[in-house]
Amino acid sequence: METEKNIPEAYQRIMPYLIVKDAASFILFMQNVFGAKEQYKQMRDEKHIMHAELSIEGSTIMFCDSTETYLPQNAGLFIYVDNCNETYKKALENGAESVTEPTDQPYGRSAGIKDPFGNTWWVTNPL
């Protein structure tokens, strides 16, 4: 496809774009729980992030701080991890709430968590 030539190398065709309250804390949560690496950050002012990008093993998540015009938008995200139990525990230790405890499913060991920003994550490691 012609458009593939124009997609920057570090990006995939579809990327989540989250609008969260306290994007700086979102960065810390993502680093602590999923080992995310900060790729880019542009500030709106000294306190608020206008646009930022995190990478998790080759996948990019874009996000920004919410404003009066752009209210928080929650998302449901599915992520493959190396160890569901460890990731679930890290998430809870970093302020997430349990949606479902880790259990074996036909597609892998999976759990659900709701992060402190209102997003639901389905963390799964293949069996």
Side-chain angles (χ1 to χ4, degrees):
M1 238 182 159
E2 188 67 30
T3 55
E4 288 184 25
K5 294 178 186 174
N6 297 326
I7 297 172
E9 190 175 317
Y11 299 122
Q12 59 273 11
R13 185 170 293 278
I14 298 174
M15 293 173 280
Y17 197 106
L18 308 175
I19 301 174
V20 299
K21 185 175 181 178
D22 194 4
S25 292
F26 180 75
I27 292 171
L28 295 175
F29 178 86
M30 296 297 292
Q31 290 171 331
N32 292 337
V33 176
F34 298 114
K37 306 283 187 236
E38 188 177 311
Q39 292 182 163
Y40 178 82
K41 181 169 66 176
Q42 181 178 357
M43 302 301 291
R44 176 175 294 113
D45 53 39
E46 288 184 20
K47 189 175 175 184
H48 299 97
I49 295 172
M50 183 162 61
H51 178 84
E53 300 174 8
L54 295 173
S55 175
I56 302 172
E57 306 223 7
S59 293
T60 300
I61 296 177
M62 297 178 173
F63 60 96
C64 66
D65 266 303
S66 60
T67 66
E68 289 182 19
T69 304
Y70 298 102
L71 301 176
Q73 295 180 9
N74 297 336
L77 301 124
F78 182 96
I79 183 169
Y80 281 112
V81 296
D82 292 333
N83 186 308
C84 174
N85 291 5
E86 285 180 16
T87 303
Y88 175 82
K89 183 180 176 201
K90 282 183 195 176
L92 297 182
E93 289 170 350
N94 283 275
E97 298 173 17
S98 177
V99 174
T100 59
E101 293 185 6
T103 58
D104 289 336
Q105 302 292 338
Y107 50 86
R109 184 133 180 101
S110 187
I113 58 111
K114 187 173 186 177
D115 71 25
F117 313 92
N119 302 296
T120 301
W121 295 82
W122 303 103
V123 295
T124 302
N125 65 259
L127 294 175

